[in-house]
Amino acid sequence: MTRIASEHAGSYRRTMELTYDILHAVEPKSSLAGVVRPFTAGLIVLNVIAVMLESVQSIEASFGRELHLFDMVSVAIFSIEYLLRLWSSPVGRPELPPLLARLRYAFSFFGMVDLLAVAPFYLHTLFVTDLRVVRGLRLLRLERLLLLGRYSKGLRMLGRAVSRTRSELYASFAVIAMMLLISSTVVYYLEHEAQPDKFANIPESLWWGVITLTSVGYGDVYPTTAVGKLFGGIIALLGLGLAALPSGLIASGFVAEFKEEKEALEDPEGHVRCPACGHAFKVDESVAIAAPAAGVPAPATATAAATAPATAATP
């Protein structure tokens, strides 16, 4: 009995580790991940397209039943995926008790995203009957688009770039907010008498500040006095730099993330480690053939390529 229980526990653990590798691992080892992940990503895209098609009345009238059925199937798949992710999450947190590890995942960013991806359907089906609330819940289904972030390496790098520059981003947004309030207040006092309908108060003047600082300029609200035009021109020029400040910070963070990831594939001796097989190579630029690092066997293809010229030159 003890041996059977031990084998059962080992099988249970292996299944959990395989599930974690397929659904959670950044670099999965299982070939099943190459099937499950593209399928899930494609299903997410199809769900977003379905939400957009539902807003077309003619399509909704003709294919509303089919779209609802597709939503039910999608929710079933996303629900199973969420439960499997929740169940296998202790593999990634071996230092924590299983219950605590699952709670950590449930309240993480992607854990909340997974839950919100299916919650609107169940809320609509079980509790909500108000049509206005139903429309809001349907709109929440677009949140499933955020799930694509875990399947895209570039989006993950972008998220880390935003995270590493968050303090600078907070500072830049604070400066933009101050400029918005100052410019809106000043233009209100400059233009209120000339255009009381357009600049009735400071809160309404904020709209002019937003479209001017962002260099959008819809043309629905603009200064007409000479001093107001001069002030508006100055704010527009300042807005060119201020609006580009957050994007520049994110771009610098993205470049830093890319550089760190590239350096992570190299060891201190200049060897490059293949992200696919894990072999370490030292690149000989003069020959353009990767020589294996000390203690690491070279793949057969690389050995054959290196010895081929010598064999051909032997009489």
Side-chain angles (χ1 to χ4, degrees):
M1 288 294 294
T2 305
R3 185 175 62 86
I4 295 175
S6 177
E7 290 178 356
H8 178 72
S11 177
Y12 177 85
R13 181 67 183 181
R14 286 192 298 272
T15 304
M16 182 184 291
E17 291 176 350
L18 176 62
T19 304
Y20 181 89
D21 182 66
I22 294 173
L23 298 178
H24 284 280
V26 178
E27 298 291 342
K29 300 177 182 178
S30 174
S31 59
L32 289 176
V35 178
V36 173
R37 295 191 175 191
F39 171 77
T40 307
L43 186 62
I44 294 169
V45 174
L46 290 177
N47 270 261
V48 174
I49 295 174
V51 172
M52 293 189 295
L53 292 178
E54 282 185 358
S55 64
V56 182
Q57 293 183 358
S58 59
I59 296 178
E60 170 67 19
S62 302
F63 303 98
R65 186 176 179 181
E66 288 79 2
L67 290 173
H68 181 66
L69 179 61
F70 174 72
D71 186 44
M72 292 177 61
V73 174
S74 300
V75 167
I77 295 174
F78 289 139
S79 299
I80 294 172
E81 182 197 16
Y82 174 70
L83 293 176
L84 289 175
R85 285 182 179 275
L86 192 64
W87 172 66
S88 62
S89 55
V91 176
R93 294 277 187 173
E95 74 279 3
L96 298 177
L99 179 59
L100 185 56
R102 291 186 175 103
L103 288 175
R104 288 286 297 270
Y105 168 73
F107 289 99
S108 66
F109 172 75
F110 277 116
M112 297 299 294
V113 169
D114 286 330
L115 181 60
L116 290 175
V118 298
F121 177 84
Y122 294 115
L123 291 175
H124 173 209
T125 305
L126 300 177
F127 303 107
V128 179
T129 57
D130 190 336
L131 291 178
R132 292 172 297 179
V133 180
V134 169
R135 294 190 187 99
L137 292 175
R138 286 181 176 178
L139 183 62
L140 278 177
R141 287 184 296 168
L142 288 175
E143 177 266 347
R144 294 172 187 171
L145 193 61
L146 295 176
L147 294 173
L148 288 175
R150 62 159 56 100
Y151 300 112
S152 172
K153 182 179 179 180
L155 290 178
R156 291 197 301 268
M157 289 180 61
L158 182 60
R160 294 195 300 268
V162 173
S163 178
R164 73 183 298 161
T165 58
R166 60 182 179 274
S167 59
E168 292 86 354
L169 288 173
Y170 291 153
S172 65
F173 286 134
V175 172
I176 293 174
M178 287 188 293
M179 284 297 303
L180 177 61
L181 291 173
I182 293 173
S183 62
S184 301
T185 301
V186 173
V187 79
Y188 163 73
Y189 286 108
L190 293 177
E191 294 292 323
H192 174 64
E193 293 184 2
Q195 302 183 81
D197 56 330
K198 300 294 182 62
F199 298 92
N201 48 57
I202 294 177
E204 290 190 12
S205 301
L206 285 172
W207 172 243
W208 174 87
V210 169
I211 63 176
T212 304
L213 280 174
T214 56
S215 303
V216 176
Y218 287 118
D220 54 341
V221 180
Y222 52 88
T224 57
T225 64
V227 180
K229 290 179 179 179
L230 177 62
F231 179 74
I234 295 174
I235 295 300
L237 292 175
L238 291 175
L240 291 175
L242 288 177
L245 187 58
S247 59
L249 291 172
I250 295 174
S252 64
F254 189 83
V255 171
E257 283 291 332
F258 182 80
K259 183 178 179 181
E260 286 185 3
E261 183 164 334
K262 184 179 179 181
E263 290 176 349
L265 299 177
E266 300 180 0
D267 64 13
E269 298 181 1
H271 298 122
V272 178
R273 188 167 298 277
C274 175
C277 63
H279 285 286
F281 299 95
K282 187 170 184 180
V283 179
D284 187 347
E285 296 181 355
S286 62
V287 184
I289 295 176
V296 179
T301 54
T303 305
T307 57
T311 304
T314 302

